[in-house]
Amino acid sequence: MSAPTSVVNIHEARTQLSRLLGRAERGEEIVIGRAGKPIARLIRYEPRHEPRQFGQWAGKVIVGPEFDAADDEITGLFGGR
């Protein structure tokens, strides 16, 4: 469980980034705000515990033969006309 959320302003976040990163690394959630309004969260990075499983969509997605066909409107937008 993480520590209570801390709110800091942008100026403090800029000048104290290393210290804030240390706090986040220890599990504290820091909210960065501008003019009293929260705009971002700084939290500890948690790596995935399970490796990605490739091929989970095999046989579930069908790509039609027209998928790679040229689209006149898009071709024109890219200067193809």
Side-chain angles (χ1 to χ4, degrees):
M1 183 173 206
S2 64
T5 301
S6 201
V7 180
V8 298
N9 65 38
I10 291 175
H11 176 73
E12 181 182 356
R14 285 180 182 164
T15 60
Q16 301 293 321
L17 182 59
S18 292
R19 184 175 60 84
L20 294 174
L21 287 171
R23 288 169 52 187
E25 188 175 32
R26 291 187 296 276
E28 185 175 347
E29 178 180 294
I30 294 117
V31 175
I32 301 171
R34 178 187 302 130
K37 180 181 177 186
I39 58 172
R41 289 186 313 141
L42 181 61
I43 59 172
R44 176 176 52 212
Y45 173 74
E46 298 287 344
R48 290 179 172 255
H49 296 290
E50 298 176 17
R52 290 185 177 186
Q53 298 292 321
F54 294 102
Q56 291 184 9
W57 286 87
K60 297 178 183 176
V61 177
I62 299 171
V63 178
E66 71 284 351
F67 180 78
D68 287 327
D71 179 280
D72 291 338
E73 180 182 0
I74 293 176
T75 302
L77 292 171
F78 284 95
R81 287 187 195 175

